[in-house]
Amino acid sequence: MHPAFQAVLTIVIGLGGCIGYFWFSNQLLDKVLFPARGPNIGRNIRRAEMIRPWLFLFPAIFALGLYLAYPVVATFWLSLTDRDQGGAFVGLANYQQMLREAKFWEAIRNNMLWLIVVPAASTAFGLLAAQLTDRISWGNIAKSLIFMPMAISFVGASVIWKLVYDFRPIGQEQIGILNAFWVWLGGEPQTWLTITPWNNFLLMVVLIWIQTGFAMVILGAALRGIPEETVEAAIVDGANPFQIFFKIKVPQIRSTIVVVWTTITLVVLKIFDIVLAMTNGQWQTQVLANYMYDKLFRAFDWGVGSAAAMVIMLLVSPILVWNVINARREMR
């Protein structure tokens, strides 16, 4: 079957299914459950109108339950069972085993390091790029170049940067940019991704490179939304460009900075692709998501792997809740 025909067929079936669902559910509600006739017509109409919004919400609630709530519950249950014992319930034994493993604590430490460095650097570089590109004539071209990494997958970006860090033995031509530059300065070529703890920072560079474009776009829009009157008043009062930026502009876009920061933080907590593609968690670069993957799909230990997944969810959940609360506060 031709892909275009498949796409059209999918749209038709999906749209037809939605229309059919709403028509059938309303017919069931108005004609069978609460018919608008007889002595109880007023009460039936009121009950039907109370239930009708839930008919519209049901598909979304069902999808969220199927694709979000059920996996969480199933993962939590798996974290309390043992595959080697035929799925027997073992309570918190998997969590205890996980807490005894050095690789888990290595992953925790590295994730905390990523959380400190990547959101701060990405937001700072994005804010700097947003401010500077608005001041040059070819700013739109610069923005396009800075934003371009966002169009690359994490694995694709990892391959690019792995070539940047590439190592060739002494005497061979270095194809890695970093080693070529290092040799040009008089040093010996290094296997950069095996040098601890600097290899963790070299991995972070990849995500910073990707997320800086995102931060630049969001913060650039916020900077353009600052009233010109406040900037002009500061100039009249004798403020220099640094004072205008840090004391006038930054305070007015603080909420946007926080949103960008927390969004990148969520990405960092789930970081997996870059570590898997570049080091596979070796040389003390393990992170939680890669640790979970190792347990689930390499060691086939669904208990400890699911426990690691629950740890990631627990770390992500407070930030998600805070974002929702903050968004509602902004809407008010």
Side-chain angles (χ1 to χ4, degrees), residues 159-201:
V159 171
I160 292 171
W161 281 90
K162 201 167 184 180
L163 290 173
V164 172
Y165 302 143
D166 188 76
F167 165 80
R168 290 290 184 272
I170 298 174
Q172 295 185 21
E173 186 176 357
Q174 300 297 322
I175 65 170
I177 296 174
L178 187 55
N179 263 324
F181 181 69
W182 186 252
V183 170
W184 180 75
L185 290 177
E188 294 185 355
Q190 304 290 326
T191 52
W192 299 104
L193 294 178
T194 67
I195 302 174
T196 59
W198 307 111
N199 49 2
N200 282 294
F201 294 99

Side-chain angles (χ1 to χ4, degrees), residues 56 61 118 129 132 144 150 178 217 298 305 331:
F56 289 91
I61 294 173
V118 175
L132 295 179
S144 299
M150 280 291 295
L178 187 55
V217 170
R298 291 196 174 116
M331 290 175 66

Side-chain angles (χ1 to χ4, degrees), residues 21-22 54-68:
Y21 163 76
F22 288 117
W54 293 101
L55 293 176
F56 289 91
L57 286 172
F58 174 74
I61 294 173
F62 177 77
L64 287 173
L66 182 62
Y67 293 106
L68 289 180

Side-chain angles (χ1 to χ4, degrees), residues 202-249:
L202 294 177
L203 296 179
M204 293 177 203
V205 167
V206 183
L207 189 56
I208 294 169
W209 180 65
I210 294 172
Q211 293 297 318
T212 294
F214 162 76
M216 177 196 67
V217 170
I218 305 300
L219 296 174
L223 286 172
R224 287 190 293 275
I226 295 175
E228 287 292 333
E229 293 80 6
T230 58
V231 178
E232 292 171 358
I235 294 173
V236 171
D237 288 341
N240 60 47
F242 287 99
Q243 290 174 323
I244 292 172
F245 180 72
F246 287 106
K247 295 186 178 181
I248 304 298
K249 292 186 175 182

Side-chain angles (χ1 to χ4, degrees), residues 120-136 142-143 146 212-213 215-217 219-220 223 242 245-246 249-250 253 257:
S122 299
T123 305
F125 288 139
L127 183 58
L128 181 65
Q131 174 67 15
L132 295 179
T133 51
D134 279 339
R135 290 178 165 271
I136 55 179
K143 288 178 182 177
I146 295 171
T212 294
M216 177 196 67
V217 170
L219 296 174
L223 286 172
F242 287 99
F245 180 72
F246 287 106
K249 292 186 175 182
V250 170
I253 64 169
I257 293 174

Side-chain angles (χ1 to χ4, degrees), residues 262 266 313-329:
T262 53
L266 291 174
M313 192 196 74
L314 289 175
L315 291 174
V316 169
S317 296
I319 302 173
L320 288 174
V321 172
W322 186 87
N323 265 346
V324 171
I325 294 172
N326 192 57
R328 289 180 177 175
R329 188 185 299 120

